Amino acid sequence: MTIPQPYLMFLGDVPDQLAAKTAAGIADWRPEWCVGQLRLAGCRADLGIADLSIPEAKAKGARTLVIGVVNAGGVLPDHWIGVVVAALEAGLDVASGLHTRLGSVSAIAEAAARHGRQLFDVRHSDRHFATGKGVKRSGRRLLTVGTDCSVGKKYTALALEKEMRARGIKADFCATGQTGVFISGRGVAIDAVVADFIAGAVEWLSPAADPDHWDLIEGQGSLFHPSFSGVTMGLLHGAQPDAFVVCHEPTRTRMRGVERALPSIAEVIDLTVRCGQVTNPAIRPLGIAVNTKAYDEAEARRYLDSASRTHGLPATDPIRFGVGVLVDALQAEFP
Amino acid sequence: MTIPQPYLMFLGDVPDQLAAKTAAGIADWRPEWCVGQLRLAGCRADLGIADLSIPEAKAKGARTLVIGVVNAGGVLPDHWIGVVVAALEAGLDVASGLHTRLGSVSAIAEAAARHGRQLFDVRHSDRHFATGKGVKRSGRRLLTVGTDCSVGKKYTALALEKEMRARGIKADFCATGQTGVFISGRGVAIDAVVADFIAGAVEWLSPAADPDHWDLIEGQGSLFHPSFSGVTMGLLHGAQPDAFVVCHEPTRTRMRGVERALPSIAEVIDLTVRCGQVTNPAIRPLGIAVNTKAYDEAEARRYLDSASRTHGLPATDPIRFGVGVLVDALQAEFP
């Protein structure tokens, strides 16, 4: 799937920054692909890039409107449909990472057909997967796991890929979500795969590779999240990771979308090892990646030092301090 | 979905008895719905009912051909298509529990259209589910879990429903698989739901009920099965069971479809409690249900006595000895 660049990032009127995580991910990791953002009144997300209308974006060369938001269930709100149709009429293609297929909305399907435009549903794949088999595959695998959704699992995996490649280590980010698929141009949104095939899709995503090659597999959900733990479990088993990094956001008081507290890092380490041993008896924690954005630098360093001592693992904020300590540990433990 | 009865059970040429579990389930629990079986040369399954051709079944009043088999991936073998078409031409409807939709096979779709016949894909549902939320629902829930696929989770839940109703306890079997949906006429095949919605589908399946009402929720897969653990985990969290029964088949040396040994009953109890506590902190094991078909009666009793002593839980073979001891324990622990 080749989505014509550059993009106009559509944020709708989402209620918070995290809801625009797809757009934020693309803007952070592929800034050269984004000409600006289109936001509706009341929008509480901001990528910090130019606010543009459709005609303004078109004038700047935009070729695709990317619906860069997430919500529980991945639905397309009715009051956004007009914007999507306007983009098509203006000559843009439209790409979306929602569960709702763009073409399932008749006004959108008709506008696309009428204007000869393409609709990309990045959440969906025509590929048929086999069921997972749990057979050991050559090569190394690292999985990012989390105490919640949206705690930095994708960012950590992308940061690891960048740092490892800079050190000459063979490494590939394996996208398991729509945003990762947008960013890397490959992968599969496993949360949109039929349940029986989750592990199988991940085995396809991360096939046998050279013994010194690392697949950096993007985690999804959390084993402790009541909505998405099934996705997390199937991913863990399909990925058969040798190592995992626990991602966390320490000021979050409630898991995304549900009324419950986050598990502790220790609980996540313990359950990930217990479950992960089914397909890789050697699975172990490598380190901790914390989103310390809510802290100033001194607080962040204190938190990370404490986490590192508590768990006996390197701890960092991938964005603020880099993933050097994690890759140091990886090189030491997997020579 | 009302599938016209009675049925001709199609077993194809499956390689073993377990592969015909859907047909066997319907024949065991709804014998009055089955006029006979249609088997191809080399078939290694046998329901012990009359072998009939399509014309013979039609003469006995059969109204639907039921494809009563399972295989990893739920595909329809090419060499069975002719039989399905012949059934449609003879005036039968066709029902299937496979992942492959009947209508996706053009010869079948055309024959159904040409002869004005119905195609039922019991694995698939048009219903849209929300994501699970983990909110506590009124009423009691029991979930059957297993050391593997096809160890009696459905049979145990159905047997419990029968016994509990006989004792005047409000109880409903909740089907989570295609066979259970066939048998009960309700429910949803959760392994065919898109991954993000597994827990949500189960929450829909088992809504808030009277405080003294029991939902007996059919388990799927195993937390230790590398293919289907994602389904098992999402089901466990969506079901928020107060109690669970561990199902096992002690002579099985290899998990279904994969090259690995079964976990122990103790491992399943432990991991089910650890994971299940996320949505029901009070979750606990109620008992053990063992398929002792491979043992004679004395061996069976010895095995069950040993399992009961080892785990401190009532243990029985639901088919051979009934589920009385399990319901005794349920009534004692949940007055």
Side-chain angles (χ1 to χ4, degrees):
Chain A
M1 164 184 338
T2 320
I3 302 174
Q5 298 150 11
Y7 304 148
L8 171 63
M9 309 304 300
F10 180 57
L11 307 190
D13 54 351
V14 291
D16 62 19
Q17 189 74 9
L18 269 179
K21 62 185 289 204
T22 298
I26 300 170
D28 282 348
W29 294 94
R30 301 286 180 261
E32 66 280 13
W33 295 358
C34 306
V35 297
Q37 60 187 8
L38 171 59
R39 304 189 291 156
L40 301 179
C43 184
R44 294 242 183 91
D46 188 342
L47 306 183
I49 60 181
D51 275 290
L52 302 175
S53 66
I54 290 172
E56 288 169 340
K58 197 85 171 60
K60 286 184 178 293
R63 295 178 65 203
T64 303
L65 179 83
V66 173
I67 301 178
V69 303
V70 296
N71 53 47
V75 294
L76 183 68
D78 289 344
H79 62 288
W80 295 1
I81 295 174
V83 176
V84 175
V85 169
L88 293 164
E89 291 173 342
L92 298 178
D93 290 336
V94 179
S96 159
L98 298 172
H99 275 297
T100 309
R101 289 174 197 257
L102 289 167
S104 72
V105 180
S106 46
I108 294 176
E110 286 160 15
R114 195 164 55 247
H115 297 278
R117 305 256 50 94
Q118 299 185 87
L119 300 174
F120 300 94
D121 290 301
V122 169
R123 204 65 163 274
H124 297 279
S125 162
D126 288 331
R127 184 175 298 279
H128 284 104
F129 297 105
T131 54
K133 295 297 179 282
V135 175
K136 192 76 181 69
R137 307 187 293 283
S138 58
R140 299 274 191 206
R141 287 163 190 77
L142 180 149
L143 176 70
T144 50
V145 299
T147 53
D148 193 7
C149 302
S150 310
V151 285
K153 297 185 290 291
K154 175 178 63 265
Y155 275 52
T156 299
L158 284 163
L160 285 167
E161 182 193 56
K162 198 169 173 182
E163 176 67 21
M164 288 168 73
R165 285 180 171 181
R167 296 191 191 191
I169 304 170
K170 287 188 269 190
D172 284 299
F173 169 78
C174 296
T176 59
Q178 39 121 355
T179 313
V181 173
F182 267 118
I183 290 170
S184 67
R186 291 180 299 139
V188 60
I190 61 164
D191 59 4
V193 165
V194 159
D196 250 5
F197 302 95
I198 304 168
V202 180
E203 291 185 3
W204 168 85
L205 183 70
S206 167
D210 291 339
D212 60 343
H213 175 275
W214 280 91
D215 268 338
L216 304 164
I217 303 170
E218 176 191 2
Q220 290 293 332
S222 169
L223 289 175
F224 292 83
H225 197 295
S227 306
F228 309 118
S229 58
V231 181
T232 312
M233 186 71 146
L235 168 53
L236 174 58
H237 283 165
Q240 56 180 232
D242 303 287
F244 63 93
V245 171
V246 182
C247 304
H248 185 48
E249 204 276 82
T251 66
R252 193 171 301 168
T253 53
R254 201 175 71 92
M255 293 184 93
R256 289 290 287 173
V258 292
E259 292 301 323
R260 63 184 53 236
L262 279 70
S264 65
I265 290 172
E267 285 176 298
V268 172
I269 289 174
D270 186 60
L271 196 57
T272 302
V273 169
R274 292 173 62 79
C275 293
Q277 282 173 337
V278 167
T279 52
N280 192 336
I283 186 174
R284 61 199 202 249
L286 181 80
I288 301 166
V290 185
N291 182 345
T292 63
K293 194 161 34 170
Y295 293 153
D296 65 31
E297 187 169 323
E299 286 171 319
R301 288 202 181 278
R302 275 199 303 274
Y303 181 88
L304 292 170
D305 287 346
S306 170
S308 186
R309 273 180 285 110
T310 300
H311 303 286
L313 296 168
T316 187
D317 180 328
I319 303 305
R320 196 170 204 162
F321 303 124
V323 291
V325 294
L326 299 180
V327 183
D328 291 344
L330 184 146
Q331 288 183 297
E333 292 176 40
F334 298 91
Chain B
M1 164 181 346
T2 320
I3 302 173
Q5 297 151 11
Y7 306 148
L8 172 62
M9 309 306 298
F10 180 57
L11 308 189
D13 54 350
V14 291
D16 60 21
Q17 189 73 9
L18 268 180
K21 62 185 290 205
T22 297
I26 301 170
D28 281 348
W29 293 93
R30 302 286 180 259
E32 66 280 12
W33 296 357
C34 306
V35 297
Q37 61 188 5
L38 171 57
R39 306 189 292 155
L40 302 178
C43 183
R44 293 243 182 90
D46 188 342
L47 307 184
I49 59 181
D51 276 289
L52 302 174
S53 65
I54 288 171
E56 288 169 337
K58 196 83 171 57
K60 285 182 177 294
R63 296 178 63 203
T64 303
L65 179 81
V66 173
I67 302 178
V69 302
V70 296
N71 53 48
V75 294
L76 183 70
D78 289 343
H79 61 288
W80 294 2
I81 295 175
V83 175
V84 176
V85 169
L88 293 164
E89 289 173 344
L92 298 178
D93 289 337
V94 178
S96 159
L98 298 172
H99 274 297
T100 309
R101 290 174 197 257
L102 289 167
S104 73
V105 180
S106 46
I108 295 176
E110 286 159 17
R114 194 163 57 246
H115 297 277
R117 306 256 49 92
Q118 299 184 87
L119 299 175
F120 300 94
D121 290 301
V122 168
R123 205 65 164 272
H124 298 278
S125 161
D126 288 332
R127 185 176 297 278
H128 283 106
F129 298 104
T131 54
K133 297 294 180 281
V135 175
K136 192 75 181 70
R137 309 187 291 283
S138 58
R140 299 272 190 207
R141 289 164 190 76
L142 180 150
L143 175 69
T144 50
V145 300
T147 53
D148 194 7
C149 303
S150 309
V151 285
K153 297 186 289 291
K154 174 177 65 263
Y155 275 54
T156 299
L158 284 163
L160 285 168
E161 181 194 55
K162 198 168 173 183
E163 177 67 21
M164 288 168 74
R165 285 179 170 182
R167 297 191 192 190
I169 304 169
K170 287 188 271 189
D172 283 299
F173 169 77
C174 296
T176 60
Q178 39 122 354
T179 314
V181 172
F182 267 119
I183 290 170
S184 67
R186 292 178 300 137
V188 59
I190 61 163
D191 61 1
V193 165
V194 159
D196 251 4
F197 302 96
I198 304 168
V202 179
E203 291 186 2
W204 168 85
L205 183 70
S206 166
D210 291 339
D212 59 343
H213 175 275
W214 279 92
D215 268 339
L216 305 164
I217 303 170
E218 176 191 2
Q220 289 294 332
S222 168
L223 290 175
F224 292 83
H225 198 295
S227 306
F228 308 118
S229 58
V231 181
T232 311
M233 185 72 145
L235 167 54
L236 174 58
H237 282 165
Q240 56 180 232
D242 304 287
F244 63 93
V245 171
V246 182
C247 304
H248 185 47
E249 202 277 80
T251 66
R252 194 170 301 168
T253 53
R254 204 176 71 93
M255 293 184 93
R256 289 291 288 174
V258 292
E259 292 301 323
R260 64 183 53 235
L262 279 71
S264 65
I265 290 172
E267 286 177 300
V268 172
I269 290 174
D270 185 62
L271 196 57
T272 301
V273 168
R274 292 173 62 79
C275 293
Q277 283 172 336
V278 167
T279 53
N280 192 335
I283 185 174
R284 62 201 202 247
L286 181 79
I288 301 165
V290 185
N291 181 344
T292 63
K293 195 161 34 170
Y295 292 153
D296 65 32
E297 189 170 320
E299 287 170 319
R301 290 202 180 278
R302 274 197 304 274
Y303 181 87
L304 292 170
D305 287 346
S306 169
S308 186
R309 272 179 286 110
T310 299
H311 302 286
L313 296 168
T316 186
D317 180 329
I319 305 304
R320 197 170 204 162
F321 303 124
V323 292
V325 293
L326 300 180
V327 183
D328 291 344
L330 184 146
Q331 288 182 298
E333 292 175 41
F334 297 90

